Amino acid sequence: MDTLISQNQAENEQMLRQLFDACFDITFRSIHLPGGQSVLIIYIAGLVDTDKLNNELFRPDSSEWSGLFTTAHISSVGPSSETRFIQEVCNLLLQGQTAVFIEGRSSCILLDLKSKDGRSIDEPTFEQSIRGPRESFTERVEVNSSLIRKKIQSTRLKLESIKIGSLSKTNVIIVYVEGIVQENILSQVKERVNRIRTDAILDSGYIEEMIEEVSFTPFPQIQLTERPDIVAANILEGKVALLTDGSPNALIVPMTFWSTFQSADDYYERFIFATLMRWTRLILFSISLYLPSLFVAITTFHSQLMPTNFLFSITTAREGVPFPSVIEALLMEFMFEALREAGIRLPKATGSAVSIVGALVIGQAAVQAGIVSAPMVIVVSMTGIASFAIPRYNMSIAFRILRFPMLLLSGMFGLYGVAMGTIGLLAHMARLEPFGVPYLSPVSPLRLRQLSDVFIRAPRTHISRMRYGKSGFRRKTGNEGKL
């Protein structure tokens, strides 16, 4: 049972000092009023706007306060609430509120004077676009929710708050549009989020791993984004978003395989250019996954498939190389991944320069030393460049992981190994159903009406006619919110 607040201010102060023992940042300040009455103000340094606190509740030149310290005066300083329980006072203090105890009252007034310090709204780092909004999420969930609210100014936009973590008590917001969201997806999201039992949630990645459908798969089942416009567009399609306090990334569920190739620019440019870019990404995806494996399979087992002149060029370039093609490819892929990881971990000013120079120097030196062939360096470089064109970073990681088993299969069985690997991947993806939605939907199972935003980006006039008809009123098709 929660301890009740006492009318004796000294008892309240003693209880709170015991609870916050060895906490240097907790601040206790007393105000002595005329007539012997005293007021105790408690807050956590760094979480509270101390300038506003000092200007409104304290006189800068004295610890004495000569006016009438009333509830009305406190409420005029900022949003306030009142409680009679010590534990609730502690919880709200840890969230950045200020507790005000007045001698003789068995309740505490909690004043919302949270500090507004934090990173400003910047341009997206990973999901940059040529056209469209240039704002991204920050680490403050209040700012992130307001960015979405500005784009969807409707009472149907719902933002439900849940506290997760027995120690961190992280604020997680479930975002959806009432009437459009698919109810079974929303209920699953709420059930899985409420089921989380952990000490702390420090980033959205904690939640992603705890609510995903299948853990042992390289494919992401929850979309990650740092752009408010992408969140707004997806929840208008019936999906659900999760905002985590302290994380600049939002989670969108469910995710399908084809959303990997959708970029923000697709919806701000004309549909012809957007469709061309989407097909380009599909081709680059195929290159990033299959090019090294196909090269190894053809040069090792199926050299008859190559034109004669091309075969002579490859054979000449590989003279003196001591390793078979599969070992050569694995070595080059490993070095490329090492350079990419080093470029990320190094300081920004030197990371890109070191990774580029390192790739050039190591590649050239390896070719001159006869350790690897020049065609293999070209193949691995093209593969790395193609992987950068995938808009979803977490999906590009999956392709980077899958490239190695595909190389091993091609080195052991040739094109048959590549075919077996492809069939295995398709079978695995066909079995994935994050939040009840098939991962390959709407291609498998086939839904013709939803193919207008998979391989092509249909014109908006066509989509508008399908959704609203010529009358301009939204059609009730029975598929509202289905993905």
Side-chain angles (χ1 to χ4, degrees):
M1 180 180 292
D2 289 340
T3 305
L4 292 173
I5 294 173
S6 172
Q7 293 184 1
N8 188 326
Q9 190 179 107
E11 294 181 6
N12 298 328
E13 182 176 357
Q14 183 181 3
M15 282 190 293
L16 288 168
R17 285 187 181 276
Q18 290 176 353
L19 290 170
F20 287 99
D21 183 37
C23 298
F24 83 97
D25 53 346
I26 189 76
T27 304
F28 293 82
R29 300 180 69 174
S30 297
I31 300 176
H32 302 286
L33 300 179
Q37 188 182 25
S38 64
V39 175
L40 176 66
I41 298 178
I42 307 173
Y43 60 91
I44 295 178
L47 299 183
V48 172
D49 187 349
T50 53
D51 290 337
K52 188 173 182 180
L53 181 68
N54 290 330
N55 293 334
E56 297 291 341
L57 293 181
F58 293 101
R59 291 183 59 185
D61 57 346
S62 174
S63 62
E64 298 289 335
W65 199 85
S66 57
L68 294 175
F69 208 94
T70 63
T71 305
H73 170 71
I74 298 173
S75 300
S76 67
V77 176
S80 63
S81 60
E82 198 164 346
T83 183
R84 298 181 58 200
F85 301 101
I86 288 291
Q87 188 59 47
E88 187 174 356
V89 172
C90 294
N91 293 337
L92 294 174
L93 280 172
L94 292 168
Q95 295 176 25
Q97 296 200 22
T98 303
V100 180
F101 291 90
I102 300 176
E103 182 71 32
R105 295 186 55 171
S106 59
S107 63
C108 173
I109 301 173
L110 292 150
L111 194 60
D112 192 354
L113 293 176
K114 294 179 184 177
S115 173
K116 303 301 181 183
D117 294 338
R119 187 167 59 92
S120 60
I121 300 173
D122 298 322
E123 291 191 19
T125 304
F126 296 104
E127 297 176 282
Q128 297 182 358
S129 63
I130 299 173
R131 186 174 178 179
R134 300 296 179 89
E135 55 190 11
S136 64
F137 289 129
T138 68
E139 284 74 16
R140 293 185 57 207
V141 73
E142 297 87 358
V143 175
N144 298 342
S145 59
S146 67
L147 291 173
I148 300 174
R149 181 70 73 179
K150 289 177 183 178
K151 297 185 180 300
I152 305 177
Q153 300 180 18
S154 171
T155 56
R156 293 169 62 187
L157 175 63
K158 306 300 180 183
L159 298 97
E160 299 185 16
S161 175
I162 299 176
K163 299 287 184 183
I164 304 178
S166 59
L167 296 179
S168 67
K169 293 181 174 58
T170 305
N171 192 16
V172 178
I173 309 297
I174 301 176
V175 187
Y176 60 94
V177 179
E178 189 178 39
I180 296 180
V181 67
Q182 192 169 351
E183 292 298 333
N184 64 330
I185 295 176
L186 179 60
S187 61
Q188 286 188 61
V189 170
K190 290 182 178 180
E191 179 187 356
R192 296 184 190 184
V193 170
N194 286 317
R195 207 166 52 206
I196 295 176
R197 296 292 180 268
T198 184
D199 291 337
I201 297 291
L202 304 181
D203 184 75
S204 58
Y206 287 52
I207 298 176
E208 178 183 4
E209 193 169 350
M210 290 180 178
I211 67 172
E212 64 184 0
E213 190 84 19
V214 180
S215 297
F216 296 98
T217 177
F219 296 105
Q221 301 152 74
I222 300 175
Q223 183 176 332
L224 188 71
T225 183
E226 58 181 345
R227 297 181 62 102
D229 55 333
I230 292 181
V231 171
N234 277 274
I235 62 176
L236 287 172
E237 292 177 358
K239 298 184 181 182
V240 180
L242 293 170
L243 305 177
T244 307
D245 196 14
S247 173
N249 297 298
L251 304 176
I252 301 173
V253 295
M255 177 183 179
T256 62
F257 175 75
W258 307 107
S259 62
T260 302
F261 309 104
Q262 298 173 355
S263 172
D265 279 324
D266 293 353
Y267 303 94
Y268 302 133
E269 298 288 351
R270 297 186 68 250
F271 75 96
I272 296 177
F273 175 76
T275 301
L276 175 62
M277 288 298 99
R278 190 164 292 180
W279 275 99
T280 302
R281 294 186 202 111
L282 285 166
I283 294 171
L284 291 173
F285 147 72
S286 302
I287 291 174
S288 69
L289 182 60
Y290 289 112
L291 183 59
S293 304
L294 291 175
F295 182 81
V296 168
I298 291 174
T299 55
T300 305
F301 296 98
H302 311 283
S303 56
Q304 69 275 11
L305 296 177
M306 291 188 291
T308 305
N309 293 335
F310 184 62
L311 177 61
F312 286 155
S313 299
I314 297 296
T315 305
T316 303
R318 284 191 48 77
E319 286 183 0
V321 176
F323 305 111
S325 295
V326 61
I327 302 299
E328 186 183 0
L330 288 171
L331 285 173
M332 288 301 299
E333 285 289 348
F334 178 79
M335 289 305 303
F336 190 88
E337 292 298 328
L339 286 169
R340 175 155 38 187
E341 188 68 15
I344 294 174
R345 303 305 166 198
L346 284 171
K348 188 177 295 185
T350 59
S352 58
V354 169
S355 60
I356 293 172
V357 173
L360 292 173
V361 172
I362 293 176
Q364 184 65 26
V367 171
Q368 290 181 351
I371 298 175
V372 296
S373 62
M376 184 61 72
V377 174
I378 296 172
V379 167
V380 173
S381 301
M382 291 178 60
T383 304
I385 293 172
S387 66
F388 289 126
I390 299 172
R392 302 281 170 258
Y393 177 72
N394 51 359
M395 184 63 84
S396 68
I397 295 176
F399 297 152
R400 286 160 57 185
I401 295 172
L402 292 171
R403 201 178 299 150
F404 289 94
M406 291 293 287
L407 270 173
L408 293 175
L409 287 172
S410 66
M412 290 187 292
F413 305 106
L415 292 179
Y416 300 104
V418 176
M420 287 189 295
T422 302
I423 293 172
L425 286 178
L426 291 175
H428 175 70
M429 287 191 289
R431 293 181 61 185
L432 292 178
E433 290 190 0
F435 296 88
V437 177
Y439 199 57
L440 295 177
S441 174
V443 175
S444 176
L446 185 62
R447 296 172 180 171
L448 294 176
R449 290 179 60 87
Q450 299 175 26
L451 289 177
S452 58
D453 195 26
V454 177
F455 301 108
I456 63 171
R457 206 275 281 170
R460 295 194 181 280
T461 51
H462 171 73
I463 297 175
S464 180
R465 282 196 297 268
M466 287 179 58
R467 184 171 297 175
Y468 295 97
K470 295 183 179 180
S471 62
F473 294 97
R474 190 182 183 95
R475 290 176 171 173
K476 299 294 183 180
T477 61
N479 294 321
E480 297 295 318
K482 291 188 177 180
L483 305 174

